[in-house]
Amino acid sequence: MPLLFKKIKDLRNFLKSKKCEGKEIGFVPTMGYLHEGHKALIRLARMQNDIVVVSVFVNPTQFGEGEDYDRYPRDLERDLSICEEEDVDIVFAPDVREMYPEGYRTKVCVGELGNVLEGAFRPGHFNGVATIVVKLFNIVQPDRAYFGEKDYQQLKIIEEVVEDLNIPVEIVPVPVVREKDGLAYSSRNVYLSPEERESALSIYKSFLLAQKMIKAGERDAKRIKEAIRKFISKHPHVKAIDYVEITDENLKPKERVEKGDRILVAVRVGNARLIDNWKVEV
């Protein structure tokens, strides 16, 4: 079983001794309810580091009013069991008061990248993400930190924060992990009924449709986006499509699609809001 820490001071003291021994630390920040996507992050961290630290913390500052903070799935015992299976050394699971004590006022404000796509629909979300990630980096002081490409905008913002604030950590991206039918792993998938899950598969299938169009020679981003919207919207449990966008690898919108560009979507299916993206292969 991994060592469980709930206090910042205790974790810092333990990791300080390990750093003095010359150990390299890999860090996987999570909000818990671990799945195969998290396992991929942990396995790469295990391969590349002497010590693997996983944080489990549902961060309130990245949830807006009316979002799913209170009902976000939580199961620390289950997470600890998965971490044991994946040979994690340390789990850091603080409570909210430990991370945001009374009188806490400071936050990290990200740049323009935090105001588009997810940022446009969830104002302040990425400020909350950046704040907790910087706090966790300061606590753990890892050599490497692992982030999934499923949250592609988050990954790019964290890379920018680390560069702008001169934080000495290597950010390691890990590709999207999908279930056998193509649905991207997400803790929010538990919100989906079997029928809603079928509708959620329209996201992955729309990527395949877009890829087929591109392979056939279509390069007009507007036409590809329209085809994606039309395809997803015809599925019965899709309540709304927040956005469909095609960007370069740095999230700049594209008019003509090229290899390496990203198709990014956010779709509301039943009570779940799902985000996903696809790297253009042609």
Side-chain angles (χ1 to χ4, degrees):
M1 184 67 72
L3 294 173
L4 174 62
F5 290 88
K6 294 194 173 185
K7 297 297 182 182
I8 294 169
K9 182 179 178 181
D10 295 340
L11 177 63
R12 274 181 165 163
N13 288 340
F14 183 83
L15 290 176
K16 184 178 180 181
S17 67
K18 296 302 177 183
K19 277 192 167 288
C20 288
E21 296 172 9
K23 304 292 188 183
E24 290 193 332
I25 298 172
F27 178 44
V28 181
T30 83
M31 292 207 299
Y33 214 75
L34 305 181
H35 51 63
E36 291 297 325
H38 296 114
K39 289 181 184 180
L41 305 178
I42 292 169
R43 288 167 186 167
L44 186 55
R46 181 75 279 166
M47 289 173 58
Q48 296 181 343
N49 303 275
D50 302 307
I51 295 175
V52 175
V53 179
V54 172
S55 65
V56 175
F57 181 66
V58 183
N59 176 39
T61 67
Q62 67 190 69
F63 289 79
E65 186 177 348
E67 292 188 343
D68 59 345
Y69 173 74
D70 289 330
R71 67 188 183 98
Y72 193 87
R74 296 164 170 87
D75 191 338
L76 182 58
E77 290 305 314
R78 175 181 174 276
D79 292 339
L80 287 170
S81 178
I82 290 172
C83 286
E84 182 178 23
E85 292 171 6
E86 298 300 329
D87 198 23
V88 170
D89 299 291
I90 296 167
V91 172
F92 179 48
D95 64 22
V96 173
R97 288 172 296 180
E98 182 71 8
M99 295 304 291
Y100 299 106
E102 186 176 350
Y104 183 93
R105 294 185 181 88
T106 305
K107 65 181 179 180
V108 178
C109 294
V110 300
E112 286 303 308
L113 208 55
N115 297 328
V116 299
L117 299 171
E118 282 300 283
F121 284 87
R122 305 179 68 189
H125 167 68
F126 287 116
N127 291 341
V129 170
T131 298
I132 193 61
V133 169
V134 169
K135 285 174 67 68
L136 289 167
F137 284 171
N138 285 333
I139 293 164
V140 177
Q141 297 185 20
D143 296 278
R144 300 174 188 88
Y146 297 79
F147 290 84
E149 290 187 359
K150 189 186 82 70
D151 298 292
Y152 189 74
Q153 186 176 7
Q154 172 181 278
L155 167 66
K156 302 309 290 186
I157 287 173
I158 295 303
E159 288 177 341
E160 188 172 85
V161 167
V162 164
E163 182 177 355
D164 289 351
L165 299 183
N166 306 108
I167 301 174
V169 58
E170 176 189 350
I171 302 300
V172 182
V174 179
V176 179
V177 179
R178 300 185 181 278
E179 301 190 42
K180 289 182 179 180
D181 55 12
L183 185 67
Y185 277 100
S186 168
S187 299
R188 290 184 167 95
N189 289 352
V190 299
Y191 299 157
L192 299 169
S193 69
E195 296 77 16
E196 290 165 349
R197 195 181 182 288
E198 283 298 312
S199 290
L201 284 175
S202 66
I203 298 170
Y204 174 68
K205 292 175 181 177
S206 78
F207 293 153
L208 300 182
L209 170 64
Q211 191 66 57
K212 185 176 181 180
M213 292 174 66
I214 295 165
K215 283 184 177 180
E218 182 62 76
R219 293 293 183 270
D220 186 278
K222 184 178 180 181
R223 282 199 286 266
I224 295 168
K225 289 187 290 185
E226 286 175 350
I228 291 171
R229 280 186 175 275
K230 183 177 179 180
F231 180 83
I232 294 175
S233 63
K234 72 181 183 182
H235 289 76
H237 298 284
V238 172
K239 289 185 175 179
I241 301 172
D242 282 354
Y243 59 80
V244 175
E245 189 55 86
I246 300 177
T247 74
D248 66 13
E249 62 179 12
N250 295 314
L251 295 176
K252 302 292 185 187
K254 297 290 295 289
E255 293 183 359
R256 303 285 296 176
V257 180
E258 300 173 280
K259 181 179 179 180
D261 288 346
R262 290 273 170 173
I263 304 171
L264 302 106
V265 305
V267 181
R268 299 176 189 268
V269 182
N271 291 321
R273 185 178 183 276
L274 305 175
I275 64 171
D276 200 351
N277 70 90
W278 181 268
K279 186 176 182 179
V280 174
E281 297 171 354
V282 176

